[in-house]
Every structure is written in C-alpha cells, then in structure tokens.
Amino acid sequence: MIHHIKEEAGLQVEERTELENTVSDIIHRVRQEGDSALKDFLQKFDGVDLDDLKVSEEGIAKAKAVLPQTLLEDIAFSIERIKAFAEAQRRTLTEFEQEMIPGVYLGQRVIPVESVGAYVPGGRYPLLSSAQMGIIPAKVAGVPKIQVCTPPTKDGEIHPAVIYAAHLSGADDIYRVGGAQAIAALTYGTETIKPVNKVVGPGNRFVTEAKRQVSGVVGIDMLAGPSEVLVVADETARPDYVASDLLAQAEHDVDARVILVSTSEKLAAAVQAEIVEQLKTLPTAKVAEAAWARRGQVIVTDTLEEAIAVTNDIAPEHLHVQIKDSREHLQAFINYGSLFLGEQASVVYADKVCGTNHILPTLGAAKYTGGVWVGTFLKVVTHQWIDDQGVKALAPHCVRQSEREGLIGHLRSANIRLTGKLDIES
C-alpha cells in the first residue's frame, strides 16, 4: 500500500498564451533587428548598457586574475573529471562498415555537430558548473565551434568564475546575453553572434519556451523544468543525510520538486523533523522552505517493490537511493536522469565535480530520454554501398514491394539495375 504523507500543493497554472506570445515577440525582434534588439533587451531586462556583447581576451585574463587560487584549482579539477567521463562515453561510440549479406555493405559514422550554443543561466548564483556541463562534452565530441551566452549582472559583467570556467572548458566565444533573446540569437544569428546547429543548457521558463519555439530550426538538448530530486530511503537511512539532500535541490528554485519515498514511516517522520531543524540555519532557507512547502512530497510504501514502482512512475531528474545494499537494486530502477547509489553518493557531487552531467530530463521526460552527454553533440549516420551481387539479392524483393505499393518510380529505379530495363516484363 502507498501512503501520501505529504503531497504537493496545488500550483497556479501559468497562462501559457502570455508566455508564448512574449517569447515569440522577443524571437521576432532578434531576427529582425539583430544586435540592436539584444542591446535593447539588455537595458529592459538586465538594466545595463553594453556597446560590446562579446567578452574580450582581456576580459578573460582579468577574470582569471581576480579569482582565488583555490577556486582556480577547483575549476580545473571539475573540468578534468567531466572531461574524463565524457571521453569514456565517447569511446563507447564506434564507427563500422560490414557486409551484411553478400554484396551489400552497410556502415555508420559518428560525426560531430558543426557548431553549438551553450546557455549558462544567471539568477541568484554564478553557475560555473553549468558552463562546464554544456561545453566540455561538446569539446570532447569534437565540435569545432562553441559559443556561450549568459546574462550579465547589474554592472554589465559576467561573474569572473563563469567567464573563466567557460573559457577553460573550451568556449570559443562568450557573450553577455541572456534570456529568450540569447536563444534567438544563437538560432538565427545577429551581427555579432553566429547561428549554431544546436543549443543546449538549462534556463528559466522564458529560455525553455524559446528553445521550444526554435526547435526544428535548430537542434536542442531537451525542455527542462526546475530541479527535481527523489530520495528512496529505508529504515537504514540517516535522516540528516536525507534532509540535507532534499534541501540541497530545494534551494535552487521555489518550484524545485523534492520527494521522499520511504519504506519506513518512522524514517519519513524523522526526515520531516530534520528538514525543519536544518532550515533554521540554512542561509538559502527562504527559497528552500518555499520549495519544500509547495513541491515537497513524502510517500510511504509497505514494500521496497512498491517504492521502486512509484519511483519509476515519477521518473525523477535526480534519483538518490539510500537503502541497504543499494547497488544490488541498480537494474530495478529504469526511469531517472541520473542515479545515485548509497548514502555517500550525494547528488551535489554530480552537480559540481564528479564527472557525470547535470543537465538532465525533468517533468517525467526521463521515461524516454537521458541527459546531456557526449552523444548529444554527435550525429550517428549511416551509409551503404552495393555491388552487382548485392543488386541480385535486393532488387527482386524491392521490385515486388514497390509494385504492391504502386510506386512505379521506385520499381524502375530498382529494376533497371537488375535487368537493364525500366519496367518488368509482363
């Protein structure tokens, strides 16, 4: 049996039409006016006047100069970890050519996307890790051109840690542009920003809606919502660990979704009490408490099998399994963005430094896709070549199928190679 101890509060449904129209107008202006529109939006939304949208080499050097050595070391460490994992992923994608039947040769190639735009959110905190997650796998994939867009602060600058992290990760150009207008610029191009083939990276609802509207004109990674975490815990879990894991994601956004699924009612009660205590000393409590109140859930199940079923149905972005012998249950969990096994495998390690990507599917999208990885920036494409022996094997089947379908042009294209004649003999 499944017991909902704490459910999500009813959320106000946003007026979709207003959001869609606002973003559509922004995209239209950027397409028509280019840099002029971007600078106007910088004044309107960010309160800054900029003559030059691009971060200069001097600006990159200045950013590095003001950062403490420990931060530089941390950036280098996380880049090394993310790069190493992306390289391991890349090695799993191979090219081949094989004779499938006599005379019929089929194969595949793995080709990098030619250009990528990585969006790095602004907001409350400088998200230098988001720059790394969007850029490094693209760099490992072999993408020749990587551009970064990120909103400036009120002084017209990007946080120096974000600038240097993006530069060190492999960004070719960094632009002080955010919001839906950045997505439009990366899609259609302006006088300063070149159009790209694929746009990746998380953002607010305006960024997400812009990605939805330009999808098809340009490739996108996914449409991601606010952060999600689901912790599966049994009676062996530590309430203080679980509470801290839930609040770590809750502090991202008041709309962050934080869920506890437990086989122990005692543990569930202890976690809720621990959350109350930890919020008293958490500097980001205003955001985290709102998220917990609005989007927090506590679900208690009678069995682990029920807990797993509930979890697979929710398909969370981050799934942290804190149960006895957690690794033995790896295969049972099938719907998640990224899986964290055991109480020591904190989600925040992957958010920042361990190497797996933190740009992940939300809102149930983990039922049909994974997160950003090196393959996001690669095209697996097929090719074939066929000799006379292969024609003899394929053409008779193709001719008969084409005739059944009434596609006589198809029939002729196959038959002329088999018999030298366009049409089959009566």
Side-chain angles (χ1 to χ4, degrees), residues 6-11 247 250 253-258 275 279 285-297:
K6 181 184 185 304
E7 298 188 70
E8 286 182 288
L11 300 180
L247 292 177
D253 192 293
V254 294
D255 289 320
R257 194 178 186 203
V258 287
I275 285 174
L279 281 169
K286 183 177 180 181
V287 174
E289 188 169 16
W292 174 245
R294 299 173 72 237
R295 307 299 308 273
Q297 294 184 59

Side-chain angles (χ1 to χ4, degrees), residues 107-306:
Q108 75 175 26
R109 296 174 60 205
V110 183
I111 304 173
V113 174
E114 290 181 273
S115 58
V116 163
Y119 186 83
V120 179
R124 299 179 185 86
Y125 317 110
L127 296 177
L128 57 153
S129 54
S130 288
Q132 297 164 346
M133 300 294 178
I135 298 167
I136 295 169
K139 194 73 175 177
V140 171
V143 175
K145 180 73 172 179
I146 303 171
Q147 300 180 108
V148 173
C149 281
T150 188
T153 55
K154 293 298 183 183
D155 61 0
E157 299 297 333
I158 300 169
H159 192 287
V162 174
I163 291 177
Y164 194 64
H167 169 72
L168 207 60
S169 296
D172 295 294
D173 298 306
I174 305 168
Y175 298 102
R176 292 173 286 188
V177 179
Q181 57 272 26
I183 304 303
L186 290 168
T187 300
Y188 297 104
T190 70
E191 297 90 332
T192 298
I193 300 174
K194 301 298 182 186
V196 300
N197 298 123
K198 195 161 195 176
V199 175
V200 302
N204 62 20
R205 66 186 188 277
F206 295 97
V207 169
T208 301
E209 174 60 21
K211 287 170 69 178
R212 187 189 69 81
Q213 291 191 23
V214 302
S215 177
V217 178
V218 69
I220 65 169
D221 49 357
M222 69 191 80
L223 299 175
S227 186
E228 299 173 347
V229 65
L230 187 153
V231 177
V232 178
D234 63 11
E235 70 283 355
T236 69
R238 288 183 50 165
D240 54 345
Y241 278 23
V242 176
S244 70
D245 296 333
L246 295 171
L247 292 177
Q249 298 307 309
E251 73 177 355
H252 274 299
D253 192 293
V254 294
D255 289 320
R257 194 178 186 203
V258 287
I259 305 168
L260 170 63
V261 177
S262 181
T263 55
S264 167
E265 196 159 337
K266 180 179 178 182
L267 183 280
V271 169
Q272 291 181 88
E274 183 66 28
I275 285 174
V276 172
E277 288 303 309
Q278 291 189 20
L279 281 169
K280 293 177 181 178
T281 57
L282 183 65
T284 55
K286 183 177 180 181
V287 174
E289 188 169 16
W292 174 245
R294 299 173 72 237
R295 307 299 308 273
Q297 294 184 59
V298 178
I299 301 169
V300 175
T301 65
D302 290 341
T303 67
L304 180 59
E305 289 71 25
E306 287 177 333

Side-chain angles (χ1 to χ4, degrees), residues 411-425:
L411 181 154
R412 288 178 168 183
S413 180
N415 195 60
I416 196 171
R417 288 168 168 79
L418 178 66
T419 67
K421 300 177 182 180
L422 284 174
D423 295 308
I424 57 176
E425 295 180 356

Side-chain angles (χ1 to χ4, degrees), residues 33-105:
E33 303 170 27
D35 284 354
S36 175
L38 295 181
K39 292 176 182 180
D40 187 45
F41 288 131
L42 278 165
Q43 289 179 320
K44 181 177 180 180
F45 299 133
D46 302 292
V48 298
D49 291 304
L50 290 178
D51 292 325
D52 193 353
L53 301 174
K54 184 178 177 180
V55 176
S56 65
E57 291 295 327
E58 180 183 354
I60 294 171
K62 181 180 177 182
K64 179 183 180 182
V66 300
L67 297 176
Q69 184 60 33
T70 52
L71 179 52
L72 294 175
E73 291 171 358
D74 290 341
I75 291 173
F77 177 83
S78 59
I79 287 175
E80 179 185 331
R81 294 297 86 230
I82 297 164
K83 180 181 178 183
F85 188 70
E87 288 173 339
Q89 289 182 314
R90 179 63 184 87
R91 289 192 291 271
T92 69
L93 293 170
T94 58
E95 298 187 347
F96 73 90
E97 185 178 273
Q98 181 177 330
E99 188 176 19
M100 306 302 294
I101 60 175
V104 178
Y105 299 82

